[in-house]
Amino acid sequence: SDTYAAWRAAARAGLAGGIPPDQIFWTTANDNSALFAETEMPGLEQKVSAAVPQAFLDLCELAICHRDPGRFALLYTVLWRLRGQRALLADESDADVAALMAMRKSVSRDCHKMKAFVRFREGDAAPDGRRRFAAWFEPDHFIVERTAPFFARRFADMDWLIATPDLVARFDSGVLAFEGAMARPALAPDQTEDLWRTYFASIFNPARLKVKAMQAEMPKKYWRNLPEAALIPDLIARAESRVEMMEKAGFATPPRRAEKSRSSKPAELPLLDSESPRSLREALAQAASCTRCPLYRNATQTVFGEGPDDAPVMFVGEQPGDKEDLAGRPFVGPAGQLFERLLAEAGVARDKCYVTNAVKHFKHEPRGKFRLHKRPDAGEVQACRWWLKQEKELIRPRLIVALGATAAQAVTGKGDQIMRRRGSFEKTADGTPVLMSIHPSSLLRQPDRAEAERSMSQFRDELRQILAVVPEVARS
Ligand code: URA
C-alpha cells in the first residue's frame, strides 16, 4: 500500500545517507496515509549498497500494517542493524526482532479474523441487478487493503462494501477501490443473519467444546457484530447434553487412516452432523462445512445446488468448475453459460428448476496459474451422494435430468454408456424418472465443429423433452 511504499522510499534514502535510526522522526499525516520521515533526506534515488534480505521485506509487509505508531522506527532500526548483522532476523531473542515478529503475528491474526468474521448484510440490488452487500468490521490493525482482495475473489459476482473505522473497501462491478473512513452504516438485520446462525449452529461440535479456545478463536470483541454470537451462551449450555445424545447414537470419529482412504472408498461415512437437514436453507448451511471427502481442503467453498425448493425439475451436473468455485454458484462458468443458453433455446426456464452437481467441491490440480479440472472419483461421488439425497428428499422433483456420466452414476448408480443412453428416460431406485443426457462441457471440448453442432442440437432436443413431462417449467 501507499504507506509501505512511502516507508521504503524514506528508509532507502535514510540508509543511503547513512542516517542512524535515532536521528529520524517518523510520522504520518493521519495514521493510515502518507508517511513522512522528518530529517534531511539525501539522494532519494541513491542505491543502497547491500541488498535487503527478502525475509525482511516479507516481515515488513505485514508489520507495517500494525497500528503501533512506533512500527516505522522499529523497522528502520532493524533495517539499519541488518547492514552489519546479516543473520539478525534469525535471532529471536533480540528485542527488536522479537518486537517485529510479534507485530507480524498480530497483523496476520487480524487478517485471519477479518476473513472469518466479516458478516455481510444484503441491501437493495444494483440497477443492473447485481446483488449488493455491506458489512461493518473493526480490525485491530490497518489490514483492509491487504485483506479486501480475498473478498473480491470470493464474492466476485456481487457488489459489496466493507466499512471500517479506518478505511472503506468498495467492490463495484468487479472493481475494488478504497475510500476514507465512514461512520458505521446502519445495517438492518436480514435473512442472511438467520443463515449465519444456522451455519454456525451446524458446525458447532459440542464434543470438541473448549470454551477458552473458542473465545480465543472468536474473541468477544467481535461478538457484537456477529449474528451467530447470540447463540454461543446457549450452545455452550446445551453442549453437554448434545455430547451425551451423540454418544448414545453411537457416532464415532473415523480413525486417521480411514480418513486418508476416504476418497477411494465408496462408503457412506458416519458424521457427527449427519442429522438430515429440515430445509434447503439448513442443508446449504450444513454443506458449507462438509468434510465428507478430502475435496473440501483445496476448494474455495462448497457449491450447493440452487433453485426453488419445490422445483419440479432437478438438473444434476458433475462438479463445480473454477468459476463456480469462486462464485459459490453452480453452472455459471463457460459450460454453465452454454447450458443456460441451450436450455433457453429449448424453451425451459432455468430459474424454475433446481440446478445442482453430483459433487459439491471443485476437484482440480494446479497447472501454472490455472486450476485444471479433475474428474471426481467413485469415492468422492459416493461421499457426496448424501447431499444429493438430501436435496432430492427436500425438493421431491418430478423429473431429474442427469448431465453426463458422473451425474448418471450418482443418480442411477450406473455411469457408463452415456452416448447410448442419452435422450432416454430411466428411473432412480425410488421411481423418480431420470432423463439421461450429456454434460454441456463435452460440447465445448468437441474439436470437430460439425460434430459439436450436431451434438448441441441433439442436446437441445433432449432438453425439450422436459416440457412434455413437466410443462410448468416452460419459459413464460
Ligand atoms: N460443470 C458442472 O458439472 N457443474 C458446474 O456447476 C459447472 C460445470
Side-chain angles (χ1 to χ4, degrees):
S1 78
D2 292 351
T3 316
Y4 182 43
W7 179 84
R8 274 179 67 162
R12 195 180 295 140
L15 223 51
I19 304 171
D22 61 353
Q23 283 175 40
I24 304 182
F25 176 67
W26 298 88
T27 177
T28 57
N30 68 52
D31 222 357
N32 199 37
S33 58
L35 174 87
F36 303 99
E38 287 181 7
T39 184
E40 285 289 295
M41 285 296 192
L44 271 186
E45 292 313 317
Q46 258 173 273
K47 279 245 174 327
V48 176
S49 49
V52 177
Q54 186 59 41
F56 177 75
L57 295 176
D58 295 346
L59 184 60
C60 241
E61 263 191 57
L62 278 171
I64 204 111
C65 302
H66 202 280
R67 198 172 285 276
D68 184 341
R71 65 198 183 279
F72 304 118
L74 178 62
L75 281 166
Y76 186 70
T77 304
V78 172
L79 181 62
W80 178 265
R81 293 182 55 205
L82 270 171
R83 295 175 321 159
Q85 285 174 264
R86 301 291 294 170
L88 176 61
L89 290 183
D91 181 5
E92 290 185 22
S93 65
D94 180 275
D96 289 340
V97 173
L100 265 193
M101 299 288 182
M103 280 186 180
R104 172 173 67 181
K105 188 167 174 196
S106 173
V107 169
S108 130
R109 186 175 155 82
D110 202 29
C111 291
H112 171 74
K113 296 285 180 237
M114 179 161 174
K115 289 179 191 167
F117 294 144
V118 159
R119 294 289 178 267
F120 287 104
R121 300 194 188 163
E122 187 156 13
D124 295 336
D128 66 357
R130 276 169 78 90
R131 293 173 76 190
R132 281 206 283 216
F133 293 81
W136 170 255
F137 189 72
E138 295 166 23
D140 286 338
H141 305 295
F142 301 117
I143 55 161
V144 178
E145 284 164 291
R146 234 194 124 69
T147 317
F150 164 86
F151 293 97
R153 283 192 300 276
R154 193 153 269 201
F155 302 113
D157 63 337
M158 309 163 180
D159 288 347
W160 50 259
L161 76 77
I162 302 174
T164 78
D166 308 303
L167 201 65
V168 175
R170 190 184 285 280
F171 189 72
D172 267 339
S173 307
V175 180
L176 179 61
F178 299 95
E179 299 161 12
M182 66 197 264
R184 181 181 180 150
L187 301 170
D190 71 3
Q191 294 181 337
T192 330
E193 299 211 342
D194 282 347
L195 194 60
W196 278 114
R197 274 192 280 268
T198 316
Y199 168 68
F200 185 72
S202 71
I203 61 167
F204 179 79
N205 181 350
R208 302 236 177 94
L209 178 66
K210 290 196 184 80
V211 177
K212 280 240 168 64
M214 184 166 154
Q215 286 177 350
E217 267 312 300
M218 193 194 272
K220 278 209 166 148
K221 151 178 180 314
Y222 298 103
W223 288 23
R224 67 198 142 110
N225 293 323
L226 295 177
E228 66 270 35
L231 295 179
I232 293 174
D234 188 42
L235 287 173
I236 292 175
R238 283 188 297 140
E240 223 166 87
S241 59
R242 267 189 72 186
V243 175
E244 237 169 66
M245 260 172 50
M246 289 185 340
E247 274 168 8
K248 277 200 195 115
F251 287 121
T253 310
R256 283 186 155 243
R257 262 190 34 234
E259 182 160 327
K260 280 211 179 129
S261 58
R262 268 179 192 188
S263 71
S264 49
K265 202 197 274 168
E268 293 273 308
L269 296 157
L271 275 190
L272 287 176
D273 65 349
S274 60
E275 292 160 27
S276 293
R278 281 156 306 176
S279 66
L280 266 189
R281 175 178 269 243
E282 226 175 87
L284 174 75
Q286 286 182 14
S289 57
C290 179
T291 55
R292 284 177 174 263
C293 79
L295 292 185
Y296 74 95
R297 294 194 188 125
N298 296 321
T300 307
Q301 57 192 315
T302 307
V303 178
F304 209 65
E306 69 175 21
D309 53 12
D310 57 352
V313 175
M314 178 187 220
F315 287 97
V316 181
E318 182 193 74
Q319 63 158 351
D322 180 71
K323 292 278 181 302
E324 288 80 12
D325 170 76
L326 295 173
R329 296 181 51 212
F331 284 97
V332 293
Q337 285 165 16
L338 177 64
F339 167 64
E340 188 155 331
R341 197 186 91 212
L342 295 173
L343 200 58
E345 287 170 8
V348 178
R350 173 174 173 166
D351 60 356
K352 292 181 183 166
C353 303
Y354 187 82
V355 179
T356 192
N357 282 301
V359 169
K360 309 283 194 265
H361 280 119
F362 176 36
K363 181 174 181 182
H364 58 276
E365 64 186 19
R367 191 66 60 81
K369 280 199 294 186
F370 299 98
R371 303 189 298 170
L372 279 197
H373 164 278
K374 269 188 94 179
R375 199 165 170 179
D377 65 28
E380 289 147 358
V381 173
Q382 180 60 22
C384 218
R385 258 179 123 176
W386 193 82
W387 290 116
L388 197 58
K389 179 164 160 269
Q390 304 310 315
E391 288 173 299
K392 247 172 62 194
E393 284 175 5
L394 291 163
I395 296 165
R396 304 191 160 276
R398 293 191 350 247
L399 174 68
I400 296 176
V401 184
L403 302 170
T406 305
Q409 173 70 39
V411 174
T412 67
K414 187 168 159 289
D416 57 353
Q417 300 195 308
I418 282 303
M419 294 319 251
R420 277 196 25 211
R421 293 158 75 191
R422 69 181 292 190
S424 65
F425 285 89
E426 298 183 10
K427 277 199 161 70
T428 61
D430 68 4
T432 313
V434 183
L435 172 59
M436 309 306 298
S437 190
I438 54 157
H439 195 284
S441 65
S442 68
L443 301 170
L444 295 172
R445 284 197 304 268
Q446 174 56 252
D448 179 336
R449 177 106 194 251
E451 181 51 31
E453 294 284 335
R454 198 200 56 72
S455 190
M456 216 177 274
S457 144
Q458 191 179 348
F459 185 58
R460 222 181 273 114
D461 291 343
E462 282 155 14
L463 297 176
R464 272 196 200 103
Q465 294 194 74
I466 296 171
L467 297 177
V469 185
V470 191
E472 307 93 284
V473 295
R475 292 175 76 201
S476 35

